[in-house]
Amino acid sequence: MSRASLKSLAIACVAIAPLWAHAQLTANVSLTTNYKFRGQDQDTGRNKAVKPALQGGFDYTFGDSGWYIGNWNSSVDWLPRNSLETDFYGGYKFKAGEVDLDFGALQYLYSGNSSGNTTELYGAATYGPFTAKYSHTVSKDYFGWAGEKAGSGLSGRNTGYLWLGFTQEVMPKVTVKASLGFTRFASDIKGLGVPNYMDYSVGGAYDFGDGVSLGAAVTGANKKSYFGDVNKARLIVTLTKTL
């Protein structure tokens, strides 16, 4: 390595040193009775209300800088030869008056079958108990819906997802949660006859302390006539431990 390169590396290390010095790492692990993503079951191999999934990940924040990275994983069963979803994300959070803003990128990976791999950019705004978040697909496909990996010549890029959420502590240790989500597929996917749809969730959580919480929610989506039972409303119970 040249002297100039070493000097540049040293300057870069000095510049980011304050971020690393105040970095904070948290982790989480969950056991849920059913993993739904945007209202749809992620285990399509079993047509049951209870299809347990093991989940977990970590978040790494760079002190008070607003920058963060993270990873989240879950057992799944909707792609042939694949049983694991692995997500990597990173972004920047900051305040604008009384509004909390969050912008970042998220990569969904399916190691056993890359046809499901998807990349999204997102932006979110939170004001009090209300949050609005929009995710926009920038990868060539959206979870394999366009069949791009199979050589269809179609694209899932520009699929959009709008999520509106409400979270409010109603008494000590008890929080109620509700959300609506709207998926708008890219034109190539819609051209295959796939309809846009709406998902929903209503429930709450109880905080036992020491990072342990228990949540329950009724979650599902409309357009069941097209998507089938994966959109069926389910009562989902999730036990989470945060470290």
Side-chain angles (χ1 to χ4, degrees):
M1 183 179 290
S2 68
R3 183 174 298 178
S5 297
L6 286 172
K7 183 177 180 180
S8 297
L9 179 60
I11 293 173
C13 289
V14 170
I16 67 173
L19 298 181
W20 287 106
H22 298 285
Q24 296 178 334
L25 177 67
T26 59
N28 61 85
V29 61
S30 298
L31 179 63
T32 184
T33 58
N34 190 344
Y35 171 31
K36 275 185 176 287
F37 176 73
R38 296 176 181 171
Q40 299 185 318
D41 290 352
Q42 298 302 287
D43 181 345
T44 60
R46 296 173 291 176
N47 187 20
K48 299 179 179 179
V50 178
K51 298 180 279 190
L54 183 63
Q55 305 172 331
F58 72 88
D59 291 283
Y60 198 83
T61 59
F62 295 88
D64 298 325
S65 69
W67 294 100
Y68 64 90
I69 57 174
N71 160 254
W72 187 81
N73 312 273
S74 179
S75 54
V76 295
D77 185 13
W78 63 273
L79 277 170
R81 306 180 306 281
N82 183 77
S83 60
L84 179 67
E85 173 188 331
T86 299
D87 304 341
F88 292 99
Y89 52 87
Y92 179 65
K93 295 181 179 181
F94 62 99
K95 293 186 72 70
E98 297 183 359
V99 179
D100 294 310
L101 298 175
D102 180 10
F103 295 93
L106 195 159
Q107 174 70 59
Y108 303 87
L109 295 173
Y110 301 89
S111 56
N113 189 336
S114 62
S115 64
N117 292 357
T118 301
T119 307
E120 293 182 334
L121 301 180
Y122 60 83
T126 299
Y127 180 77
F130 301 100
T131 298
K133 181 177 181 179
Y134 177 72
S135 301
H136 192 83
T137 302
V138 294
S139 51
K140 291 182 179 180
D141 208 344
Y142 177 76
F143 300 103
W145 277 102
E148 188 273 336
K149 283 282 187 179
S152 68
L154 304 178
S155 172
R157 183 173 291 153
N158 295 324
T159 293
Y161 179 71
L162 175 64
W163 184 85
L164 305 174
F166 173 84
T167 302
Q168 180 68 57
E169 186 177 57
V170 293
M171 63 179 67
K173 299 186 177 183
V174 178
T175 301
V176 296
K177 302 178 180 181
S179 67
L180 287 175
F182 304 88
T183 297
R184 180 191 59 78
F185 288 105
S187 57
D188 280 358
I189 298 177
K190 290 171 66 176
L192 297 173
V194 182
N196 298 333
Y197 73 97
M198 177 187 73
D199 64 85
Y200 54 86
S201 181
V202 179
Y206 183 83
D207 184 359
F208 290 96
D210 295 324
V212 178
S213 64
L214 182 66
V218 175
T219 304
N222 67 350
K223 303 296 177 69
K224 183 183 169 186
S225 59
Y226 179 86
F227 295 101
D229 284 344
V230 296
N231 282 29
K232 187 176 181 179
R234 309 282 193 186
L235 173 61
I236 300 175
V237 179
T238 305
L239 179 65
T240 300
K241 170 64 176 178
T242 301
L243 306 172

